Amino acid sequence: MNISLKRVNAIFQKDFKDFSRNWAVSSVLFVPIGLGFMYGRAGVEDLTSHYLLINLAMAMVATFVQCCLIAEEKEKNTLRGLMLSPASTMEIIGGKSLLSFILTLGVIVLTSYLSGYQPADTAVIVVAVVLSSLFYIAIGTILGLYSKSVMEASLIVMPVILIFSLGSFITQLADSYPILKVALYLPNIQLIELATKVEAGSRFGDVLVELGIIAAWVVVSFIVTNIIYRKRMID
């Protein structure tokens, strides 16, 4: 399938303009950055705390921003025009996701710098974070396709932010409540497990299981996104 970079860039430029004008949505960028600054000033060194910020950044930026961008298109009745345009599904979803992806990585880098987090193996962490970001963006796209307005999108995304940013506390309850052990395979938990191994000296070959689980979440979320998107095209 040929992908037109011009179409992808046109969608990206439109999203950037819409995002820059919407302060209610763009203000979420400052939440993880502000917390990162406070963590850095407080001298927080706990790995779980650093990944609370990273997972929060992905949930608030990748999922929230993506969800609101899609919902805004639906609210303005412009998403239907995109679906009926010559642009392919990959071009539309890719263009709509590019801004969220760039913002997410930028916020994570800045937040990590401010909080003082320096991974033992940057390459492994970058791969894991990129994969995780793709998952969060896919979830944001799915929720955006179900939302009818930006207001509804901002509400429907809240459970996701709570589960995937604060979900690391589930590991502390898993021993007491065995049913919660299923949650240990969530991508945010796997990211923490991977980071813990990296800090202990593990390399790519030692964290393939965690990367594989995160990648599986990405594949499943992309398949679901494609199914829902195509369903919306014929509704």
Side-chain angles (χ1 to χ4, degrees), residues 144-171:
L145 289 171
Y146 274 112
S147 303
K148 296 179 181 178
S149 64
V150 176
M151 181 63 70
E152 183 177 332
S154 63
L155 293 176
I156 198 174
V157 80
M158 286 305 165
V160 175
I161 294 176
L162 291 174
I163 291 172
F164 289 104
S165 62
L166 303 178
S168 56
F169 294 108
I170 294 176
T171 57

PDB file of all heavy atoms in Angstrom, residues 144-171:
ATOM      1  N   GLY A 144     -11.870   8.060  20.886  1.00  0.00           N
ATOM      2  CA  GLY A 144     -12.287   9.214  20.102  1.00  0.00           C
ATOM      3  C   GLY A 144     -13.357   8.857  19.086  1.00  0.00           C
ATOM      4  O   GLY A 144     -14.293   9.632  18.843  1.00  0.00           O
ATOM      5  N   LEU A 145     -13.249   7.671  18.497  1.00  0.00           N
ATOM      6  CA  LEU A 145     -14.248   7.228  17.516  1.00  0.00           C
ATOM      7  C   LEU A 145     -15.595   6.959  18.172  1.00  0.00           C
ATOM      8  O   LEU A 145     -16.635   7.036  17.513  1.00  0.00           O
ATOM      9  CB  LEU A 145     -13.749   5.959  16.805  1.00  0.00           C
ATOM     10  CG  LEU A 145     -12.582   6.161  15.833  1.00  0.00           C
ATOM     11  CD1 LEU A 145     -12.047   4.816  15.364  1.00  0.00           C
ATOM     12  CD2 LEU A 145     -13.015   7.009  14.638  1.00  0.00           C
ATOM     13  N   TYR A 146     -15.580   6.645  19.466  1.00  0.00           N
ATOM     14  CA  TYR A 146     -16.823   6.418  20.185  1.00  0.00           C
ATOM     15  C   TYR A 146     -17.398   7.704  20.775  1.00  0.00           C
ATOM     16  O   TYR A 146     -18.577   7.756  21.130  1.00  0.00           O
ATOM     17  CB  TYR A 146     -16.613   5.406  21.314  1.00  0.00           C
ATOM     18  CG  TYR A 146     -16.741   3.972  20.860  1.00  0.00           C
ATOM     19  CD1 TYR A 146     -15.632   3.127  20.838  1.00  0.00           C
ATOM     20  CD2 TYR A 146     -17.963   3.452  20.460  1.00  0.00           C
ATOM     21  CE1 TYR A 146     -15.741   1.811  20.421  1.00  0.00           C
ATOM     22  CE2 TYR A 146     -18.088   2.136  20.046  1.00  0.00           C
ATOM     23  CZ  TYR A 146     -16.976   1.321  20.034  1.00  0.00           C
ATOM     24  OH  TYR A 146     -17.093   0.018  19.614  1.00  0.00           O
ATOM     25  N   SER A 147     -16.578   8.743  20.902  1.00  0.00           N
ATOM     26  CA  SER A 147     -17.034  10.003  21.498  1.00  0.00           C
ATOM     27  C   SER A 147     -17.748  10.867  20.467  1.00  0.00           C
ATOM     28  O   SER A 147     -17.428  10.841  19.285  1.00  0.00           O
ATOM     29  CB  SER A 147     -15.836  10.778  22.069  1.00  0.00           C
ATOM     30  OG  SER A 147     -15.140   9.997  23.021  1.00  0.00           O
ATOM     31  N   LYS A 148     -18.714  11.638  20.928  1.00  0.00           N
ATOM     32  CA  LYS A 148     -19.473  12.513  20.043  1.00  0.00           C
ATOM     33  C   LYS A 148     -19.006  13.966  20.130  1.00  0.00           C
ATOM     34  O   LYS A 148     -19.349  14.781  19.289  1.00  0.00           O
ATOM     35  CB  LYS A 148     -20.957  12.438  20.384  1.00  0.00           C
ATOM     36  CG  LYS A 148     -21.571  11.057  20.162  1.00  0.00           C
ATOM     37  CD  LYS A 148     -23.035  11.037  20.544  1.00  0.00           C
ATOM     38  CE  LYS A 148     -23.633   9.642  20.329  1.00  0.00           C
ATOM     39  NZ  LYS A 148     -25.061   9.592  20.749  1.00  0.00           N
ATOM     40  N   SER A 149     -18.250  14.295  21.171  1.00  0.00           N
ATOM     41  CA  SER A 149     -17.777  15.665  21.351  1.00  0.00           C
ATOM     42  C   SER A 149     -16.500  15.649  22.180  1.00  0.00           C
ATOM     43  O   SER A 149     -16.154  14.625  22.802  1.00  0.00           O
ATOM     44  CB  SER A 149     -18.835  16.525  22.053  1.00  0.00           C
ATOM     45  OG  SER A 149     -19.067  16.046  23.369  1.00  0.00           O
ATOM     46  N   VAL A 150     -15.805  16.780  22.204  1.00  0.00           N
ATOM     47  CA  VAL A 150     -14.585  16.896  22.999  1.00  0.00           C
ATOM     48  C   VAL A 150     -14.897  16.759  24.482  1.00  0.00           C
ATOM     49  O   VAL A 150     -14.134  16.145  25.241  1.00  0.00           O
ATOM     50  CB  VAL A 150     -13.879  18.238  22.716  1.00  0.00           C
ATOM     51  CG1 VAL A 150     -12.662  18.407  23.624  1.00  0.00           C
ATOM     52  CG2 VAL A 150     -13.459  18.324  21.260  1.00  0.00           C
ATOM     53  N   MET A 151     -16.027  17.303  24.912  1.00  0.00           N
ATOM     54  CA  MET A 151     -16.427  17.191  26.312  1.00  0.00           C
ATOM     55  C   MET A 151     -16.627  15.736  26.712  1.00  0.00           C
ATOM     56  O   MET A 151     -16.161  15.288  27.767  1.00  0.00           O
ATOM     57  CB  MET A 151     -17.720  17.970  26.559  1.00  0.00           C
ATOM     58  CG  MET A 151     -18.211  17.928  27.995  1.00  0.00           C
ATOM     59  SD  MET A 151     -17.050  18.702  29.157  1.00  0.00           S
ATOM     60  CE  MET A 151     -17.230  20.426  28.673  1.00  0.00           C
ATOM     61  N   GLU A 152     -17.312  14.990  25.852  1.00  0.00           N
ATOM     62  CA  GLU A 152     -17.529  13.571  26.137  1.00  0.00           C
ATOM     63  C   GLU A 152     -16.206  12.816  26.116  1.00  0.00           C
ATOM     64  O   GLU A 152     -15.982  11.915  26.924  1.00  0.00           O
ATOM     65  CB  GLU A 152     -18.490  12.975  25.105  1.00  0.00           C
ATOM     66  CG  GLU A 152     -18.831  11.510  25.356  1.00  0.00           C
ATOM     67  CD  GLU A 152     -19.831  10.958  24.362  1.00  0.00           C
ATOM     68  OE1 GLU A 152     -20.649  11.752  23.842  1.00  0.00           O
ATOM     69  OE2 GLU A 152     -19.798   9.736  24.102  1.00  0.00           O
ATOM     70  N   ALA A 153     -15.317  13.196  25.204  1.00  0.00           N
ATOM     71  CA  ALA A 153     -14.012  12.543  25.111  1.00  0.00           C
ATOM     72  C   ALA A 153     -13.195  12.758  26.383  1.00  0.00           C
ATOM     73  O   ALA A 153     -12.516  11.841  26.858  1.00  0.00           O
ATOM     74  CB  ALA A 153     -13.253  13.084  23.901  1.00  0.00           C
ATOM     75  N   SER A 154     -13.251  13.957  26.932  1.00  0.00           N
ATOM     76  CA  SER A 154     -12.485  14.265  28.138  1.00  0.00           C
ATOM     77  C   SER A 154     -12.974  13.474  29.348  1.00  0.00           C
ATOM     78  O   SER A 154     -12.223  13.275  30.306  1.00  0.00           O
ATOM     79  CB  SER A 154     -12.550  15.766  28.430  1.00  0.00           C
ATOM     80  OG  SER A 154     -13.879  16.172  28.699  1.00  0.00           O
ATOM     81  N   LEU A 155     -14.223  13.018  29.296  1.00  0.00           N
ATOM     82  CA  LEU A 155     -14.776  12.217  30.395  1.00  0.00           C
ATOM     83  C   LEU A 155     -14.504  10.730  30.194  1.00  0.00           C
ATOM     84  O   LEU A 155     -14.121  10.027  31.121  1.00  0.00           O
ATOM     85  CB  LEU A 155     -16.291  12.454  30.509  1.00  0.00           C
ATOM     86  CG  LEU A 155     -16.722  13.849  30.936  1.00  0.00           C
ATOM     87  CD1 LEU A 155     -18.246  13.969  30.901  1.00  0.00           C
ATOM     88  CD2 LEU A 155     -16.210  14.178  32.335  1.00  0.00           C
ATOM     89  N   ILE A 156     -14.675  10.268  28.963  1.00  0.00           N
ATOM     90  CA  ILE A 156     -14.530   8.841  28.687  1.00  0.00           C
ATOM     91  C   ILE A 156     -13.087   8.377  28.820  1.00  0.00           C
ATOM     92  O   ILE A 156     -12.825   7.200  29.056  1.00  0.00           O
ATOM     93  CB  ILE A 156     -15.072   8.532  27.265  1.00  0.00           C
ATOM     94  CG1 ILE A 156     -15.355   7.036  27.119  1.00  0.00           C
ATOM     95  CG2 ILE A 156     -14.086   8.972  26.192  1.00  0.00           C
ATOM     96  CD1 ILE A 156     -16.019   6.675  25.798  1.00  0.00           C
ATOM     97  N   VAL A 157     -12.143   9.306  28.715  1.00  0.00           N
ATOM     98  CA  VAL A 157     -10.735   8.938  28.788  1.00  0.00           C
ATOM     99  C   VAL A 157     -10.219   8.864  30.229  1.00  0.00           C
ATOM    100  O   VAL A 157      -9.140   8.308  30.478  1.00  0.00           O
ATOM    101  CB  VAL A 157      -9.887   9.942  27.967  1.00  0.00           C
ATOM    102  CG1 VAL A 157      -9.655  11.230  28.761  1.00  0.00           C
ATOM    103  CG2 VAL A 157      -8.568   9.329  27.543  1.00  0.00           C
ATOM    104  N   MET A 158     -10.968   9.387  31.185  1.00  0.00           N
ATOM    105  CA  MET A 158     -10.508   9.419  32.571  1.00  0.00           C
ATOM    106  C   MET A 158     -10.226   8.044  33.172  1.00  0.00           C
ATOM    107  O   MET A 158      -9.216   7.858  33.853  1.00  0.00           O
ATOM    108  CB  MET A 158     -11.524  10.186  33.440  1.00  0.00           C
ATOM    109  CG  MET A 158     -11.489  11.679  33.217  1.00  0.00           C
ATOM    110  SD  MET A 158      -9.816  12.344  33.475  1.00  0.00           S
ATOM    111  CE  MET A 158      -9.969  13.968  32.733  1.00  0.00           C
ATOM    112  N   PRO A 159     -11.104   7.036  32.967  1.00  0.00           N
ATOM    113  CA  PRO A 159     -10.777   5.702  33.503  1.00  0.00           C
ATOM    114  C   PRO A 159      -9.462   5.152  32.963  1.00  0.00           C
ATOM    115  O   PRO A 159      -8.719   4.474  33.679  1.00  0.00           O
ATOM    116  CB  PRO A 159     -11.968   4.847  33.056  1.00  0.00           C
ATOM    117  CG  PRO A 159     -13.095   5.817  32.886  1.00  0.00           C
ATOM    118  CD  PRO A 159     -12.451   7.063  32.369  1.00  0.00           C
ATOM    119  N   VAL A 160      -9.173   5.441  31.700  1.00  0.00           N
ATOM    120  CA  VAL A 160      -7.923   4.976  31.100  1.00  0.00           C
ATOM    121  C   VAL A 160      -6.732   5.620  31.794  1.00  0.00           C
ATOM    122  O   VAL A 160      -5.728   4.963  32.094  1.00  0.00           O
ATOM    123  CB  VAL A 160      -7.896   5.294  29.595  1.00  0.00           C
ATOM    124  CG1 VAL A 160      -6.543   4.934  28.992  1.00  0.00           C
ATOM    125  CG2 VAL A 160      -8.999   4.541  28.880  1.00  0.00           C
ATOM    126  N   ILE A 161      -6.833   6.924  32.051  1.00  0.00           N
ATOM    127  CA  ILE A 161      -5.748   7.633  32.736  1.00  0.00           C
ATOM    128  C   ILE A 161      -5.518   7.041  34.122  1.00  0.00           C
ATOM    129  O   ILE A 161      -4.370   6.821  34.538  1.00  0.00           O
ATOM    130  CB  ILE A 161      -6.066   9.143  32.831  1.00  0.00           C
ATOM    131  CG1 ILE A 161      -6.073   9.767  31.431  1.00  0.00           C
ATOM    132  CG2 ILE A 161      -5.052   9.853  33.723  1.00  0.00           C
ATOM    133  CD1 ILE A 161      -6.467  11.220  31.417  1.00  0.00           C
ATOM    134  N   LEU A 162      -6.593   6.740  34.839  1.00  0.00           N
ATOM    135  CA  LEU A 162      -6.466   6.180  36.188  1.00  0.00           C
ATOM    136  C   LEU A 162      -5.873   4.781  36.154  1.00  0.00           C
ATOM    137  O   LEU A 162      -4.971   4.456  36.923  1.00  0.00           O
ATOM    138  CB  LEU A 162      -7.840   6.158  36.872  1.00  0.00           C
ATOM    139  CG  LEU A 162      -8.435   7.512  37.251  1.00  0.00           C
ATOM    140  CD1 LEU A 162      -9.848   7.345  37.790  1.00  0.00           C
ATOM    141  CD2 LEU A 162      -7.558   8.218  38.285  1.00  0.00           C
ATOM    142  N   ILE A 163      -6.370   3.944  35.249  1.00  0.00           N
ATOM    143  CA  ILE A 163      -5.923   2.549  35.199  1.00  0.00           C
ATOM    144  C   ILE A 163      -4.465   2.443  34.777  1.00  0.00           C
ATOM    145  O   ILE A 163      -3.675   1.708  35.383  1.00  0.00           O
ATOM    146  CB  ILE A 163      -6.809   1.732  34.237  1.00  0.00           C
ATOM    147  CG1 ILE A 163      -8.217   1.580  34.825  1.00  0.00           C
ATOM    148  CG2 ILE A 163      -6.194   0.351  33.980  1.00  0.00           C
ATOM    149  CD1 ILE A 163      -9.204   0.959  33.869  1.00  0.00           C
ATOM    150  N   PHE A 164      -4.090   3.194  33.744  1.00  0.00           N
ATOM    151  CA  PHE A 164      -2.755   3.016  33.183  1.00  0.00           C
ATOM    152  C   PHE A 164      -1.689   3.910  33.804  1.00  0.00           C
ATOM    153  O   PHE A 164      -0.498   3.668  33.603  1.00  0.00           O
ATOM    154  CB  PHE A 164      -2.798   3.224  31.675  1.00  0.00           C
ATOM    155  CG  PHE A 164      -3.506   2.111  30.939  1.00  0.00           C
ATOM    156  CD1 PHE A 164      -4.786   2.289  30.453  1.00  0.00           C
ATOM    157  CD2 PHE A 164      -2.899   0.884  30.774  1.00  0.00           C
ATOM    158  CE1 PHE A 164      -5.446   1.274  29.788  1.00  0.00           C
ATOM    159  CE2 PHE A 164      -3.545  -0.146  30.115  1.00  0.00           C
ATOM    160  CZ  PHE A 164      -4.821   0.048  29.629  1.00  0.00           C
ATOM    161  N   SER A 165      -2.082   4.944  34.520  1.00  0.00           N
ATOM    162  CA  SER A 165      -1.072   5.759  35.190  1.00  0.00           C
ATOM    163  C   SER A 165      -0.904   5.356  36.649  1.00  0.00           C
ATOM    164  O   SER A 165       0.220   5.310  37.169  1.00  0.00           O
ATOM    165  CB  SER A 165      -1.430   7.248  35.097  1.00  0.00           C
ATOM    166  OG  SER A 165      -2.660   7.503  35.742  1.00  0.00           O
ATOM    167  N   LEU A 166      -2.012   5.040  37.311  1.00  0.00           N
ATOM    168  CA  LEU A 166      -1.949   4.641  38.716  1.00  0.00           C
ATOM    169  C   LEU A 166      -2.035   3.137  38.897  1.00  0.00           C
ATOM    170  O   LEU A 166      -2.008   2.635  40.006  1.00  0.00           O
ATOM    171  CB  LEU A 166      -3.096   5.311  39.501  1.00  0.00           C
ATOM    172  CG  LEU A 166      -3.140   6.837  39.437  1.00  0.00           C
ATOM    173  CD1 LEU A 166      -4.337   7.366  40.219  1.00  0.00           C
ATOM    174  CD2 LEU A 166      -1.859   7.447  39.978  1.00  0.00           C
ATOM    175  N   GLY A 167      -2.138   2.405  37.786  1.00  0.00           N
ATOM    176  CA  GLY A 167      -2.301   0.962  37.842  1.00  0.00           C
ATOM    177  C   GLY A 167      -1.130   0.214  38.439  1.00  0.00           C
ATOM    178  O   GLY A 167      -1.256  -0.960  38.788  1.00  0.00           O
ATOM    179  N   SER A 168       0.020   0.883  38.563  1.00  0.00           N
ATOM    180  CA  SER A 168       1.186   0.203  39.136  1.00  0.00           C
ATOM    181  C   SER A 168       0.934  -0.208  40.587  1.00  0.00           C
ATOM    182  O   SER A 168       1.586  -1.133  41.097  1.00  0.00           O
ATOM    183  CB  SER A 168       2.414   1.116  39.068  1.00  0.00           C
ATOM    184  OG  SER A 168       2.165   2.341  39.715  1.00  0.00           O
ATOM    185  N   PHE A 169      -0.014   0.428  41.252  1.00  0.00           N
ATOM    186  CA  PHE A 169      -0.326   0.073  42.632  1.00  0.00           C
ATOM    187  C   PHE A 169      -1.048  -1.271  42.713  1.00  0.00           C
ATOM    188  O   PHE A 169      -1.160  -1.862  43.782  1.00  0.00           O
ATOM    189  CB  PHE A 169      -1.177   1.163  43.280  1.00  0.00           C
ATOM    190  CG  PHE A 169      -0.457   2.470  43.442  1.00  0.00           C
ATOM    191  CD1 PHE A 169      -0.768   3.563  42.655  1.00  0.00           C
ATOM    192  CD2 PHE A 169       0.568   2.603  44.366  1.00  0.00           C
ATOM    193  CE1 PHE A 169      -0.087   4.764  42.795  1.00  0.00           C
ATOM    194  CE2 PHE A 169       1.257   3.799  44.516  1.00  0.00           C
ATOM    195  CZ  PHE A 169       0.929   4.886  43.726  1.00  0.00           C
ATOM    196  N   ILE A 170      -1.542  -1.754  41.563  1.00  0.00           N
ATOM    197  CA  ILE A 170      -2.223  -3.039  41.530  1.00  0.00           C
ATOM    198  C   ILE A 170      -1.268  -4.158  41.922  1.00  0.00           C
ATOM    199  O   ILE A 170      -1.663  -5.149  42.532  1.00  0.00           O
ATOM    200  CB  ILE A 170      -2.804  -3.307  40.124  1.00  0.00           C
ATOM    201  CG1 ILE A 170      -3.910  -2.300  39.820  1.00  0.00           C
ATOM    202  CG2 ILE A 170      -3.354  -4.717  40.007  1.00  0.00           C
ATOM    203  CD1 ILE A 170      -4.474  -2.413  38.419  1.00  0.00           C
ATOM    204  N   THR A 171       0.000  -3.998  41.569  1.00  0.00           N
ATOM    205  CA  THR A 171       0.991  -5.041  41.879  1.00  0.00           C
ATOM    206  C   THR A 171       1.102  -5.273  43.386  1.00  0.00           C
ATOM    207  O   THR A 171       1.410  -6.376  43.821  1.00  0.00           O
ATOM    208  CB  THR A 171       2.370  -4.659  41.327  1.00  0.00           C
ATOM    209  OG1 THR A 171       2.763  -3.386  41.859  1.00  0.00           O
ATOM    210  CG2 THR A 171       2.323  -4.563  39.808  1.00  0.00           C
TER     211      THR A 171
END
